């Protein structure tokens, strides 16, 4: 068992002397926001929150914690959805003050940004040089680039540009012993040994602390066209996706799916939302085409392909935004979906992926299994189906006690994840493992893969001080994985 000593007053004094007293926070009121996560599923404890202002100060902090055997939980914007940033003792290390964009190289099409840069600011800075940093999440105003890298975040643009992993060329990382690995290279080709950066991307703070990154930039789109379509089923919507992939792959930027229950919730609870189509349909898709070519007629293109899809019986009805304002109104229907689900009572959530060819099978099988397991449940399978990524959420039956419903989370996990596994899918597509899926990972991940993961963790963090108990539990005193909803 690894012993995580409590930060002694002496350690906090040493850190205060180097970081400055205001950046070693022990006041419970100021610490409160760092101890909970965005869904309020876990409430943690920490003896202090430290806010270093430079890579050197992060390295100093980690080095001192390594000497004292004190656990560290790195935090960016604390918008993660799997409990990965919640501390259970030790220190929270906030990267928020490392928020400088160190360099933009327009010819190399790269930006070197510190881990604490807010995603929205990174995107704005790229835009000012007529370039695009394509990662986009609804949490862009709060999440930070270090957190995006640590979770290998996805979002709606993955279809065209890939995950965060595909958008990074180099990293600077503070290791568990306080050394700094400077891998800040902006190279498209570099076969000089193992690809170390990809060890840290998606490692959720368990292998090292990312302090800066060289990000890939792309040509900024100058025209966009957005459509909202109604289909008779998820299967028809997926057939439409396959057709668009064939005909318009070079401009297809997003293909987001939602069922009628999702649109019902959005229209009922989402402020300023308007029904996009006259009639009701079983399934809907939001489609975006974009191009850096200002002369591209993407609206015309959508009219043609969707017209053909209506004739072929894949689409029942469609609307195409006639202006940027209308496009944004269509996107709002998708973006508000995350927040409105909570207003329909308890929601049990899964973030899974299957091969794109199995998405419709998965949705049909999982919805049927849930209805059998608990009559009256209201499944809401939505998301980035073009990547095979389904947010398979289940709203409680009307009138049922919320706590009693949420207590069934493990039962629904087994049901849904078994179907995912039978289709050779993944129990985490884009949110990560953190705490909430740690035990599920043990159940579903290949044992050899788990063994390799433990080997890497022990090699890079032998004292288990970096975000202990997350992703993998190496300690018998690791925090419990199951949330205790309040
Ligand atoms: P945090 O929550 O602070 O941390 C996340 C994890 O990374 C933790 O384990 C933490 O310890 C670790 N970590 C943070 N910073 C570092 C660092 N510098 N070095 C090492 N480890 C670190 N996610 C998606 O993938 N797609 C979506 O579409 C999406 N939509 C969202 C919508 C909403 C409304 C919300 C609230 C969340 C959404 N998320 C989504 C989840 C979340 O925004 C992402 O996981 C995001 O990448 C987390 O960034 P963060 O800075 O908030 O990280
Ligand atoms: Zn998502």
């Amino acid at each position: 068992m690894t012993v995580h000593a409590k930060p002694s007053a002496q350690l906090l004094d040493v850190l205060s002397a180097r970081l400055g007293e205001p950046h070693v926070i022990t006041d419970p009121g100021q610490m409160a926001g760092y101890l909970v996560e965005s869904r309020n599923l876990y409430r943690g404890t920490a003896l202090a929150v430290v806010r270093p202002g430079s890579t050197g100060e992060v390295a100093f902090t980690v080095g001192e914690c390594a000497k004292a055997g004190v656990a560290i939980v790195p935090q960016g914007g604390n918008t993660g959805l799997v409990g990965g940033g919640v501390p259970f003792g030790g220190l929270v290390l906030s990267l928020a003050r490392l928020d400088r964009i160190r360099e933009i190289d327009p010819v190399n099409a790269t930006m070197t940004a510190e881990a604490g840069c807010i995603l929205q600011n990174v995107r704005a800075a790229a835009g000012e040089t007529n370039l695009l940093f394509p990662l986009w999440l609804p949490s862009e105003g709060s999440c930070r680039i270090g957190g995006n890298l640590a979770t290998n975040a996805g979002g709606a643009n993955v279809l065209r540009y890939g995950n965060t992993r595909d958008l990074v060329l180099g990293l600077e990382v503070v290791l568990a012993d306080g050394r700094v690995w400077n891998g800040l290279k902006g190279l498209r080709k570099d076969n000089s040994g193992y690809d170390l950066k990809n060890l840290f991307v998606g490692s959720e703070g368990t292998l090292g602390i990312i302090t800066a990154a060289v990000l890939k930039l792309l040509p900024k789109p100058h025209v966009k066209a957005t459509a909202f379509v109604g289909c008779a089923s998820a299967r028809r919507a997926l057939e439409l996706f396959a057709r668009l992939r064939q005909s318009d792959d070079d401009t297809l930027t997003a293909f987001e799916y939602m069922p009628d229950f999702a649109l019902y919730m959005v229209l009922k609870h989402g402020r300023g939302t308007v029904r996009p189509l006259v009639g009701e349909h079983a399934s809907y898709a939001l489609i975006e085409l974009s191009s850096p070519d200002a002369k591209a007629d993407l609206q015309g293109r959508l009219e043609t392909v969707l017209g053909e899809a209506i004739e072929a019986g894949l689409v029942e009805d469609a609307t195409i935004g006639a202006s940027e304002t209308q496009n944004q109104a269509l996107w709002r229907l998708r973006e508000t979906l995350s927040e409105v689900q909570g207003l329909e009572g308890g929601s049990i959530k899964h973030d899974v992926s299957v091969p794109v060819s199995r998405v419709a099978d998965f949705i049909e099988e999982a919805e049927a299994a849930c209805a059998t397991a608990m009559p009256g449940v209201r499944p809401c399978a939505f998301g980035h189906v073009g990547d095979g990524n389904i947010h398979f959420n289940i709203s409680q039956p009307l009138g049922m006690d919320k706590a009693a419903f949420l207590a069934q989370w493990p039962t629904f996990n087994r049901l849904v994840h078994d179907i995912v596994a039978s289709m050779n899918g993944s129990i985490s597509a884009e949110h990560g493992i953190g705490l909430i899926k740690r035990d599920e990972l043990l159940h579903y991940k290949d044992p050899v893969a788990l063994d390799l993961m433990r080997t890497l963790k022990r090699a890079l963090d032998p004292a288990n001080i970096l975000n202990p108990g997350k992703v993998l539990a190496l300690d018998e005193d690791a925090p419990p994985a199951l949330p205790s909803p309040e």
Side-chain angles (χ1 to χ4, degrees), residues 118-328:
I118 290 180
L119 176 59
Q120 199 169 42
N121 297 344
V122 168
R123 285 172 55 85
E128 279 163 23
T129 38
N130 202 24
L131 289 163
L132 170 76
F133 181 62
L135 179 70
W136 184 81
L137 314 173
S139 51
E140 67 163 350
S142 315
C143 64
R144 296 175 188 266
I145 209 72
N148 301 146
L149 288 157
T151 55
N152 185 27
N157 291 345
V158 171
L159 189 61
R160 173 87 165 270
Y161 301 105
N163 295 297
T164 308
R165 188 186 295 288
D166 303 304
L167 301 172
V168 60
L169 295 175
L171 287 184
E172 178 186 82
V173 179
V174 173
L175 304 179
D177 58 7
R179 282 181 302 159
V180 180
W181 169 52
N182 183 346
L184 286 178
K185 290 195 172 184
L187 302 175
R188 264 92 184 164
K189 287 193 158 185
D190 180 4
N191 279 351
S192 58
Y194 302 144
D195 185 352
L196 298 175
K197 74 173 181 305
N198 268 323
L199 278 182
F200 297 101
V201 175
S203 67
E204 301 182 50
T206 61
L207 299 182
I209 298 184
I210 298 166
T211 46
V214 182
L215 306 172
K216 261 191 218 172
L217 303 178
L218 289 111
K220 189 173 166 180
H222 289 293
V223 272
K224 283 185 183 173
T226 309
F228 201 89
V229 307
C231 300
S233 64
R235 196 167 291 281
R236 287 285 100 81
L238 265 296
E239 283 167 20
L240 172 66
F241 169 71
R243 189 179 257 247
L244 281 163
R245 191 54 134 179
Q246 280 292 327
S247 61
D248 293 81
D249 192 37
D250 55 335
T251 56
L252 184 59
T253 315
F255 189 96
E256 296 286 306
Y257 171 81
M258 61 168 85
D260 54 352
F261 175 51
L263 186 62
Y264 160 81
M265 284 190 283
V266 166
L267 296 175
K268 181 173 167 194
H269 303 291
R271 262 193 300 136
T273 53
V274 181
R275 178 174 286 288
L277 300 169
V278 179
E280 292 184 12
H281 306 271
S283 298
Y284 298 92
L286 179 71
I287 301 160
E288 184 181 276
L289 305 184
S290 71
S291 170
D293 175 4
K295 295 198 199 82
D297 178 17
L298 299 181
Q299 272 194 35
R301 186 65 208 142
L302 274 180
E303 277 164 26
T304 306
V305 282
L306 292 177
E308 287 165 4
I310 289 174
E311 271 175 35
L314 297 184
V315 170
E316 294 180 331
D317 195 7
T319 181
I320 298 169
S323 64
E324 188 49 29
T325 313
Q326 286 188 8
N327 290 346
Q328 281 172 11

